[in-house]
Amino acid sequence: MIPEPSETPADDAAIGRALKRSLIALLALGGAAGATVWLLTRPAPGPAPHVTPLDAPQQAQRRAEVPKVRFTDITAAAGITFRHENGARGQKLLPETMGGGAVWSDLDGDGDADLLCVNSTWWPDDPRRGNATAGQPPTHRLYRNDTPPGGDPRFTDITAGSGLDVAEYAMGATAGDFDGDGRPDLYLTCVGPNRLLRNLGNCRFADITAETGTAGGAQDWSTAAAWVDVDNDGDLDLFVGNYVQWSPQLDFEVNNQLVGVGRAYGRPWNFSGSLPRLYRNDSLGGRLKFTDVSAGSGLQVRNPATGLPMAKTLAVAPVDLNGDGWLDLVVANDTVQNFVFTNRHDGTFAEVGVAAGVAFDAYGQARGAMGIDVARFRNDDRLGIAIGNFANEMNALYVAQRDTGRDQLLFSDEAITEGIGPASRQLLKFGLFFFDYDLDGRLDVLTANGHIEEDIQKVQAGVRYRQPAQLFWNAGGAPSFVEVGPKEAGEDLFRPLVGRGSACADFDRDGDLDVVLMELGGTPRLLRNEQTTGNRWLRLMIRGRAANRDSVGAWVTVETGAHRQSLQVMPTKSYLSQSELPLTFGLGPAAKASRVSVVWPGGRSRTMEHVAAGQTVEILEPESAR
């Protein structure tokens, strides 16, 4: 028996909709009848008016054509045989997903960039330890650059006896002349105690960690580090970012799982953050001394609700954000908000990331921030902060807004409108930096990519563990960036790898910037820039007197007619890595720079006129402030 229907509010709504449809039909019929009457009774048309055709105003637009600049893999030919070791043997421990970095630095003082490949090693309980057939645990590798200018690439492994032939679970490294003797020293970040190595000359290093008190905590997991003069006293201090509070026991308790896979590598949501450290350089008169000033620096941010450390740091960008002559710090954090620390000029910092618009994405969400770099990519006075984020999260490009002054920082994420956002979403971005690969005078962007979970394709269709790098050419328009593919840059750059650290240097001294991409558990990829655009270049080595010897933090401006570009002397960028110290400026077709200006930390400046292209010029800070 079919039940009697009952009247409900839904029935009322249905009746209303039926009436509305009937009214619409009646109106349509009336309109059609009226149109028919008008067509039958309208007057006969007169002669067609004469219309003089006018061309619509055309806006001048330049169609950007991506230049063809080939990057060629010369790793084997150059003698680079390093292979990264992450210690993985099925336990799925979080640090196994994160390393490692690379450093380009003139460690032997011969004028070219040498290469340090940072390694992790076997875990303490690895059965290979003590097994004679397994050999010795792997160490870092130091390669001396023996490439003649413009010649065939040649690197020599000089690790043995260098002080870098040590097995440790390291993440990254940073080079800086902290003692002012003209030789870059090294600081290595590790799972566990870090190491400070003093350069004794001829690529020999002495471990001075204990005497300087710079090891950090025994349980620290350190990642990003930077040599920066935060107090403008003329020597380099040391910032060290830490990731999460971690141990194998905690990792097994967290027990990250993937459906259909089981225990898997995961993001650090369930691990507490960790506090960074700041070491003030108090070396004087040959005595090497650092003071840990972290506690009172303002850099150690805690969650106001729980009191636990907030930071999960993977990268840091030192930069003078507000033009006051003091270095600030932008810190990229994984799964928690990014930090912006402004320098108060008294040894302390204020954290203003939320107010500055850099802490979160446009929807107020924290992302998995990995690599970072800061630059004036539009060749104006506005800074852009680029950050490579996790898979399914776009690159960020926070751009300074014009209506802010020195006392107020405000950035807006313009990654979508500038062209580096949507194309990057699916990839997991680690190393990221700005560089002018085609020497046209505009800064381009490169990211090294790779997932953390080997079996990710089992749960996310279309996502792979090994991923291609991404190159974005700066077209100088709107949007600024255009994605480059193998057709323009060659196949070698885009062959998938588990990308991590990345850095650039003109290792062969031919005027253009070459690239190294580090691979987790694999061999790095050394890519030679073989551009033949005809664009000219100028390389500048900036030296300090009152400022730190390497002039870290100085701003250099190069003008060619109406074209003006500025670069900061800041090798710390990307992810766990460091690029070379000299600055490379692309001049496009210009045969010279009409003006070169340098402003050092502390305010001293120097200007040079009519500097010819195609050379490396050393510029020394003046002795007086006049």
Side-chain angles (χ1 to χ4, degrees):
M1 183 177 184
I2 299 173
E4 191 81 23
S6 60
E7 190 173 322
T8 66
D11 297 322
D12 293 338
I15 294 168
R17 287 194 296 272
L19 288 171
K20 184 181 292 184
R21 286 194 294 269
S22 298
L23 286 171
I24 291 171
L26 288 171
L27 288 171
L29 288 171
T36 302
V37 171
W38 180 83
L39 286 170
L40 294 172
T41 61
R42 65 175 178 168
H50 176 71
V51 178
T52 303
L54 296 175
D55 291 331
Q58 298 293 319
Q59 180 178 356
Q61 293 183 347
R62 176 178 56 82
R63 183 174 179 83
E65 183 175 346
V66 177
K68 288 181 168 56
V69 175
R70 188 175 196 83
F71 286 88
T72 301
D73 185 349
I74 58 165
T75 312
I80 306 295
T81 60
F82 170 80
R83 186 174 182 84
H84 179 260
E85 169 66 57
N86 67 349
R89 61 182 202 280
Q91 296 176 297
K92 300 282 186 174
L93 301 175
L94 185 58
E96 296 167 2
T97 69
M98 305 305 290
V103 171
W104 286 111
S105 181
D106 184 7
L107 297 173
D108 58 0
D110 65 352
D112 57 25
D114 307 300
L115 179 62
L116 169 63
C117 298
V118 179
N119 212 353
S120 303
T121 192
W122 304 335
W123 292 111
D125 62 348
D126 194 305
R128 288 174 290 183
R129 291 185 179 273
N131 185 337
T133 60
Q136 295 299 312
T139 72
H140 314 291
R141 297 286 282 276
L142 177 60
Y143 291 96
R144 186 183 65 221
N145 185 357
D146 293 326
T147 305
D152 293 335
R154 186 168 67 247
F155 285 81
T156 304
D157 187 342
I158 58 169
T159 309
S162 67
L164 289 158
D165 47 350
V166 174
E168 56 195 342
Y169 210 100
M171 293 279 111
T174 181
D177 182 10
F178 80 86
D179 53 2
D181 64 358
R183 297 187 293 264
D185 310 294
L186 294 170
Y187 188 81
L188 290 98
T189 59
C190 304
V191 178
N194 303 320
R195 284 205 304 147
L196 175 57
L197 300 175
R198 189 184 188 193
N199 192 335
L200 304 178
N202 198 29
C203 286
R204 294 293 182 268
F205 295 85
D207 188 336
I208 58 169
T209 313
E211 65 185 272
T212 55
T214 51
Q219 302 303 314
D220 283 356
W221 175 357
S222 299
T223 50
W227 290 105
V228 285
D229 185 3
V230 298
D231 51 8
N232 271 2
D233 66 349
D235 57 28
L236 293 175
D237 311 297
L238 180 62
F239 170 87
V240 182
N242 292 317
Y243 190 36
V244 295
Q245 296 182 26
W246 178 87
S247 69
Q249 292 74 25
L250 279 173
D251 208 324
F252 287 121
E253 288 176 14
V254 168
N255 195 26
N256 186 73
Q257 299 278 323
L258 277 180
V259 176
V261 174
R263 179 168 169 80
Y265 296 117
R267 302 180 73 175
W269 283 309
N270 295 319
F271 293 89
S272 174
S274 194
L275 299 174
R277 296 179 185 270
L278 179 63
Y279 298 99
R280 187 182 65 215
N281 187 349
D282 291 329
S283 301
L284 186 65
R287 188 185 71 162
L288 306 178
K289 180 183 179 183
F290 284 84
T291 304
D292 188 339
V293 295
S294 311
S297 66
L299 298 175
Q300 297 191 329
V301 181
R302 293 181 180 272
N303 187 309
T306 64
L308 294 173
M310 284 185 65
K312 298 181 181 180
T313 299
L314 287 178
V316 60
V319 60
D320 180 3
L321 290 169
N322 50 16
D324 63 359
W326 294 71
L327 281 172
D328 312 298
L329 300 170
V330 185
V331 174
N333 289 316
D334 188 4
T335 71
V336 298
Q337 68 191 67
N338 301 317
F339 293 148
V340 175
F341 293 106
T342 55
N343 198 321
R344 287 173 166 156
H345 308 177
D346 61 359
T348 67
F349 293 81
E351 203 290 296
V352 298
V354 174
V358 177
F360 303 106
D361 68 9
Y363 302 98
Q365 300 294 317
R367 291 183 278 196
M370 309 294 180
I372 190 171
D373 198 6
V374 181
R376 291 174 174 152
F377 69 93
R378 290 177 178 163
N379 287 346
D380 58 14
D381 59 353
R382 289 194 285 172
L383 287 168
I385 302 170
I387 298 177
N389 292 310
F390 201 80
N392 298 316
E393 300 171 348
M394 292 184 294
N395 288 325
L397 183 57
Y398 300 102
V399 181
Q401 302 304 291
R402 288 191 182 279
D403 56 353
T404 59
R406 175 170 291 188
D407 298 326
Q408 181 186 8
L409 297 174
L410 182 61
F411 290 79
S412 176
D413 190 350
E414 300 183 15
I416 294 177
T417 56
E418 286 293 0
I420 69 167
S424 70
R425 183 187 293 276
Q426 194 174 36
L427 300 172
L428 203 168
K429 290 75 64 181
F430 277 88
L432 174 153
F433 58 81
F434 290 100
F435 75 137
D436 183 3
Y437 76 91
D438 63 333
L439 302 176
D440 65 352
R442 297 185 299 267
L443 292 173
D444 315 298
V445 175
L446 178 71
T447 67
N449 312 312
H451 214 279
I452 61 172
E453 172 53 52
E454 302 116 312
D455 295 320
I456 189 62
Q457 72 276 4
K458 295 181 179 179
V459 293
Q460 292 186 27
V463 180
R464 295 292 181 265
Y465 183 48
R466 288 175 172 80
Q467 300 179 355
Q470 273 193 310
L471 179 62
F472 295 93
W473 176 62
N474 189 339
S480 291
F481 295 102
V482 178
E483 187 177 9
V484 178
K487 181 179 177 181
E488 295 87 13
E491 298 282 349
D492 291 352
L493 177 61
F494 303 103
R495 281 189 291 106
L497 78 168
V498 191
R500 292 298 184 261
S502 62
C504 63
D506 180 16
F507 79 83
D508 52 4
R509 289 177 286 177
D510 63 354
D512 52 37
L513 289 168
D514 312 295
V515 170
V516 65
L517 304 178
M518 301 301 291
E519 181 169 28
L520 178 76
T523 301
R525 192 173 301 170
L526 180 58
L527 296 153
R528 188 173 192 170
N529 185 335
E530 297 183 339
Q531 65 88 26
T532 56
T533 61
N535 289 331
R536 296 181 170 94
W537 53 271
L538 178 64
R539 285 171 55 81
L540 301 174
M541 174 63 75
I542 313 301
R543 297 296 188 193
R545 282 193 172 110
N548 64 89
R549 186 182 184 280
D550 289 335
S551 300
V552 170
W555 277 97
V556 183
T557 301
V558 169
E559 300 175 48
T560 52
H563 199 57
R564 185 175 185 269
Q565 51 184 314
S566 296
L567 297 177
Q568 182 187 212
V569 181
M570 184 51 64
T572 300
K573 59 186 67 180
S574 187
Y575 173 77
L576 305 179
S577 300
Q578 184 162 306
S579 292
E580 67 173 354
L581 198 61
L583 300 178
T584 295
F585 287 86
L587 303 183
K592 66 179 180 181
S594 56
R595 179 187 296 265
V596 175
S597 304
V598 184
V599 179
W600 279 265
R604 296 184 183 183
S605 63
R606 170 161 285 177
T607 299
M608 300 173 64
E609 308 277 351
H610 307 299
V611 182
Q615 61 174 327
T616 300
V617 178
E618 183 175 283
I619 303 178
L620 188 63
E621 182 183 16
E623 294 184 356
S624 66
R626 292 182 300 171

